[in-house]
Amino acid sequence: LIRHDQLINSMAEGRAFPGFAEGKIAFMPTFKFDKESHSYDTSHKQRIPAWTDRILFLPSNGIRVLDYQSVPEAQHSDHRPVYGSYRISM
């Protein structure tokens, strides 16, 4: 799925968020879960999972991504939140 991610592809082609960057996605898609479950959409719609909750930043020589993850335990919604930790040097 990551190869077909719309945001990644749009940014690579310069069509969205020019100059912005994102940490490496090393977590499962964060959207289209069944609520209160670890299962992706089991309804009749069978929606395709996606990474919709994202953190973008303007890179500079002083910014380094330390951690970029989702929170799979947060099951109150069909989204899973994401968080990032960054080191900023001046």
Side-chain angles (χ1 to χ4, degrees), residues 50-90:
W51 291 270
T52 58
D53 300 67
R54 311 287 273 271
I55 300 172
L56 304 180
F57 61 95
L58 285 170
S60 73
N61 293 336
I63 298 178
R64 192 175 92 206
V65 179
L66 302 176
D67 197 15
Y68 186 38
Q69 292 294 325
S70 69
V71 184
E73 299 81 23
Q75 298 179 9
H76 57 283
S77 169
D78 59 351
H79 289 258
R80 298 299 182 259
V82 298
Y83 66 91
S85 297
Y86 303 84
R87 176 158 301 201
I88 301 172
S89 303
M90 298 296 196

Side-chain angles (χ1 to χ4, degrees), residues 22-61:
E22 179 178 26
K24 179 178 170 37
I25 295 177
F27 48 87
M28 297 298 288
T30 57
F31 179 55
K32 299 193 181 170
F33 282 92
D34 292 338
K35 288 183 182 177
E36 307 297 329
S37 168
H38 285 294
S39 299
Y40 289 106
D41 187 9
T42 59
S43 74
H44 69 281
K45 295 179 186 178
Q46 294 289 294
R47 300 172 301 167
I48 297 170
W51 291 270
T52 58
D53 300 67
R54 311 287 273 271
I55 300 172
L56 304 180
F57 61 95
L58 285 170
S60 73
N61 293 336

Side-chain angles (χ1 to χ4, degrees), residues 5-22 51-59 68:
D5 180 75
Q6 185 176 12
L7 180 60
I8 291 172
N9 291 334
S10 293
M11 287 175 67
E13 294 167 2
R15 295 184 292 124
F17 302 103
F20 280 80
E22 179 178 26
W51 291 270
T52 58
D53 300 67
R54 311 287 273 271
I55 300 172
L56 304 180
F57 61 95
L58 285 170
Y68 186 38

